[in-house]
Amino acid sequence: MATLTTPRNGWAVKGKSKTLAPGIDLTAMVDLAFLLITFFMLTTSLSKMGAMEIAKPIDSNEPIDLAESRTMTILLAKNNQAAYYMGETGKAVMYQTDLSEIQKQIAHNKKVVAERYHKDSSKFMIVIIKPTSGSNYKNFVDIMDEIHIGSVQSYFIDDKNISEQEKTFMKQRGIL
């Protein structure tokens, strides 16, 4: 709302007439701003931290039998590197990759397993994650995120049973 200021006595002044500068009352605008800020503060919900649940089984002496044709093993190594293979340790061909590229391999192997079993929903890919002494906690969190993003139905965490073939491969590549 604009107002004009006039002299207090209301009498005209002899001589030049002054042009008065209009004054703008911003009270209503400030009230509206505070009303909007209050409204959005009260109606907005803050995001809550979400955590992925990880259940690591109790150590058992009984081996778990997994289908070799649908099992992918990922070894976490140092310098954000990983080694992976499909199948049984002694018979499989191992590959090395950067952790930023592991999602492509998970998706590819998941697709191969689905095609091999004619998209049977009961025959899904199983991932075994093996953190080594060279990996760090960030690598583990990153791989768990990739497992979640890739919608892997079943995964295991095994930090104790790293075979000699796996160790040899990683030593040859300098990532152990």
Side-chain angles (χ1 to χ4, degrees):
M1 154 179 352
T3 60
L4 294 175
T5 55
T6 58
R8 287 188 182 211
N9 60 7
W11 298 95
V13 180
K14 252 189 176 176
K16 289 184 182 177
S17 63
K18 282 185 174 179
T19 56
L20 299 172
I24 299 175
D25 186 13
L26 294 176
T27 305
M29 186 76 74
V30 171
D31 287 345
L32 180 65
F34 279 112
L35 200 86
L36 287 171
I37 289 171
T38 305
F39 172 76
F40 286 114
M41 282 175 53
L42 294 176
T43 59
T44 303
S45 63
L46 299 175
S47 64
K48 294 177 178 75
M49 293 293 290
M52 182 186 300
E53 292 186 26
I54 297 175
K56 189 173 178 190
I58 298 171
D59 289 336
S60 173
N61 293 336
E62 298 177 22
I64 300 173
D65 292 328
L66 301 173
E68 297 171 18
S69 59
R70 30 184 210 122
T71 303
M72 178 180 186
T73 304
I74 301 173
L75 298 140
L76 301 177
K78 66 181 181 181
N79 299 330
N80 297 327
Q81 296 291 309
Y84 68 94
Y85 60 91
M86 286 293 293
E88 190 177 353
T89 307
K91 301 174 186 174
V93 178
M94 292 186 177
Y95 301 98
Q96 177 185 351
T97 187
D98 191 47
L99 274 178
S100 61
E101 299 292 321
I102 197 73
Q103 179 60 37
K104 292 177 187 174
Q105 302 306 323
I106 292 172
H108 172 72
N109 289 336
K110 189 175 177 184
K111 184 178 175 183
V112 167
V113 169
E115 288 173 358
R116 180 177 292 154
Y117 291 100
H118 307 292
K119 300 189 181 188
D120 182 6
S121 61
S122 66
K123 306 287 185 179
F124 48 83
M125 183 175 76
I126 302 165
V127 177
I128 300 173
I129 303 164
K130 294 184 177 184
T132 63
S133 59
S135 66
N136 55 30
Y137 184 72
K138 181 185 179 311
N139 296 137
F140 182 74
V141 171
D142 289 345
I143 199 68
M144 292 308 298
D145 285 342
E146 298 299 339
I147 293 291
H148 183 69
I149 291 168
S151 300
V152 174
Q153 292 181 7
S154 182
Y155 62 90
F156 294 91
I157 302 165
D158 183 10
D159 56 349
K160 295 185 179 176
N161 299 318
I162 299 173
S163 70
E164 288 302 318
Q165 291 95 348
E166 294 168 337
K167 289 178 184 177
T168 303
F169 176 80
M170 294 174 73
K171 283 179 185 176
Q172 288 173 348
R173 300 293 175 113
I175 57 174
L176 183 59

